[in-house]
Amino acid sequence: MDDLSTIRREALGAVEQAADLAALDAARVAALGKKGSVTGLMKALGALAPAERREFGARVNQLKGEIETALEARKSALSASALAAKLANERIDVSLPPRPEGQGTLHPIGQVMDELAAIFGEMGFSWAEGPDIEDDWHNFTALNIPPDHPARQMQDTFYLPSRADGTPMVLRTHTSPVQARTMLDEGVQRMLADGGSLRVIIPGRTFRIDNDATHTPMFHQVEGLVLDRTTHMGHLKGCLVDFCRAFFEVDDLPLRFRPSYFPFTEPSAEVDIGCSWKDGELRIGAGDSWLEILGSGMVHPNVIANCGLDPAIYQGFAFGMGIDRIAMLKYGINDLRSFFDSDLRWLRHYGFSALEWPSLTGGLGR
Ligand code: 2NL
């Protein structure tokens, strides 16, 4: 049968020349499909005499196998070149530098908070936060602020709708309620009972009804608390001297402690740092003027008792200051309200790199 060699040549030729998988499939159908040339030979076998059928059948089977092998080989060759083409086409140059993107900056308040963490962290303080919305007990009563105290007045405090049980709620007017919550904490009380010392700073947002050139209704405070059986006023003084010198980066910065009054401390002291004015410019350091920057005192026994601790056993000091104010002093920002204008040009000027973490060894500020 000459037919066989012609069919063989045509079928293998079509496989060899198939330019893509679709053409290859067409070649397969033309040879091995229902109406394919090789299938036609198979069908013709039935009409042959047995001896001839055996001999010719073997040859047709061999041809079928040959075509299948060729199809397989061509298929892998086509897939390999398709993959190579795809890889060449979709090549990405990972060495290309990225397009420059605008880099954000840290707000001076965030920067100063990071600096506070670095300085007080070095002194062994931990960091605590609490809710902006407080109940009247944590914000006032626990802190020995009597019911008729002016600080409670509607004119100063943002009162919120009371809880279902009638508890008056407020936007916290200072961060002190978080100090009360810390002293009330069971784990902290157990640590103190075991002879440990509580040292914590509490930074955060605070709120008072006040809005003029030097007051905004939302501002930031940081308070600190040290409590154990032996901490005394000498520790208060040393801690605040060290803090102010580290923060303002003036090694011989003089401090002045003035007697004062807060309901939650007794005795109480306000703290001034030395400064001088030249041509309307403020310079922080030994000079002929003083700037008030923080309030402090020994925690009032009533506050210790209100927070579930025995004031005959525990004593310590606390302090508080305005973060916005110390940020303005340190970085020469003269308008408090500019802090909250969200002006990008202002942020580009006064902002800090988010990648430079302040530390006492690596440098605190700019
Ligand atoms: C200021 C003064 C101060 C405190 C805050 C405090 C908290 C507790 C107990 C005792 Cl729970 N004291 N805090 C003490 C003295 C001063 O802040 O001028 N802040 C801007």
Side-chain angles (χ1 to χ4, degrees), residues 209-220:
I209 301 181
D210 228 342
N211 199 7
D212 58 41
T214 54
H215 299 87
T216 47
M218 187 279 296
F219 55 105
H220 298 82

Side-chain angles (χ1 to χ4, degrees), residues 17 22 38 44 81 85 91 95 200 216 236:
Q17 276 155 37
V38 178
S81 60
R91 185 180 205 90
S95 70
V200 65
T216 47
L236 177 159

Side-chain angles (χ1 to χ4, degrees), residues 142-143 174-181 183 208 219 221-225 262 264-265 268-270 292-300 303 307 317-322:
L143 298 161
H174 41 197
T175 49
S176 317
V178 189
Q179 303 199 339
R181 288 179 180 280
M183 285 188 270
R208 288 183 203 171
F219 55 105
Q221 251 197 354
V222 59
E223 282 188 58
L225 172 67
F262 301 109
F264 25 84
T265 47
S268 304
E270 278 172 302
E292 180 190 326
I293 61 154
L294 55 84
S296 65
M298 299 305 293
V299 181
H300 197 292
V303 175
C307 295
F317 67 84
F319 57 88
M321 68 192 117

Side-chain angles (χ1 to χ4, degrees), residues 32-283:
L32 307 178
K34 248 187 212 159
K35 294 177 183 159
S37 50
V38 178
T39 313
L41 293 174
M42 296 279 202
K43 282 180 188 157
L45 283 178
L48 299 176
E52 217 178 342
R53 188 192 302 161
R54 200 174 310 119
E55 191 259 341
F56 190 64
R59 290 171 61 199
V60 173
N61 260 334
Q62 202 217 327
L63 173 58
K64 191 175 172 229
E66 230 181 299
I67 295 170
E68 280 168 349
T69 308
L71 279 167
E72 224 26 72
R74 186 69 189 144
K75 189 174 172 188
S76 23
L78 283 175
S79 325
S81 60
L83 180 61
K86 200 167 144 86
L87 285 174
N89 229 355
E90 296 176 6
R91 185 180 205 90
I92 295 170
D93 184 353
V94 292
S95 70
L96 272 180
R99 290 189 193 89
E101 264 181 57
Q103 229 187 8
T105 56
L106 220 56
H107 193 284
I109 293 171
Q111 167 72 18
V112 166
M113 284 190 181
D114 290 348
E115 294 179 23
L116 293 167
I119 298 169
F120 284 108
E122 191 77 14
M123 293 197 240
F125 283 71
S126 54
W127 172 291
E129 296 180 13
D132 287 357
I133 297 174
E134 269 293 0
D135 55 74
D136 163 274
W137 189 87
H138 286 95
N139 195 75
F140 295 124
T141 312
L143 298 161
N144 200 36
I145 300 174
D148 56 352
H149 194 278
R152 291 201 183 214
Q153 274 170 18
M154 301 286 277
Q155 300 96 284
D156 302 326
T157 306
F158 288 104
Y159 278 89
L160 299 173
S162 299
R163 277 211 193 104
D165 64 5
T167 311
M169 300 299 286
V170 300
L171 288 179
R172 65 180 182 193
T173 55
H174 41 197
T175 49
S176 317
V178 189
Q179 303 199 339
R181 288 179 180 280
T182 305
M183 285 188 270
L184 284 158
D185 181 89
E186 264 180 55
V188 167
Q189 297 208 347
R190 217 172 308 121
M191 179 276 292
L192 286 169
D194 287 345
S197 286
L198 172 62
R199 294 179 184 180
V200 65
I201 57 164
I202 291 129
R205 273 191 272 275
T206 47
F207 307 84
R208 288 183 203 171
I209 301 181
D210 228 342
N211 199 7
D212 58 41
T214 54
H215 299 87
T216 47
M218 187 279 296
F219 55 105
H220 298 82
Q221 251 197 354
V222 59
E223 282 188 58
L225 172 67
V226 175
L227 196 83
D228 53 26
R229 293 159 204 246
T230 53
T231 291
H232 54 67
M233 201 127 181
H235 296 116
L236 177 159
K237 190 177 174 194
C239 174
L240 296 179
V241 167
D242 283 355
F243 163 72
C244 291
R245 290 179 176 173
F247 180 77
F248 290 105
E249 298 176 88
V250 177
D251 288 343
D252 60 352
L253 181 64
L255 270 77
R256 182 171 75 174
F257 289 76
R258 269 182 298 107
S260 183
Y261 171 81
F262 301 109
F264 25 84
T265 47
E266 182 61 34
S268 304
E270 278 172 302
V271 181
D272 304 333
I273 54 172
C275 70
S276 52
W277 293 90
K278 193 164 174 272
D279 305 326
E281 279 248 7
L282 171 68
R283 199 186 62 87

Side-chain angles (χ1 to χ4, degrees), residues 298-316:
M298 299 305 293
V299 181
H300 197 292
N302 290 352
V303 175
I304 296 176
N306 289 342
C307 295
L309 291 164
D310 184 350
I313 300 177
Y314 298 109
Q315 59 182 46

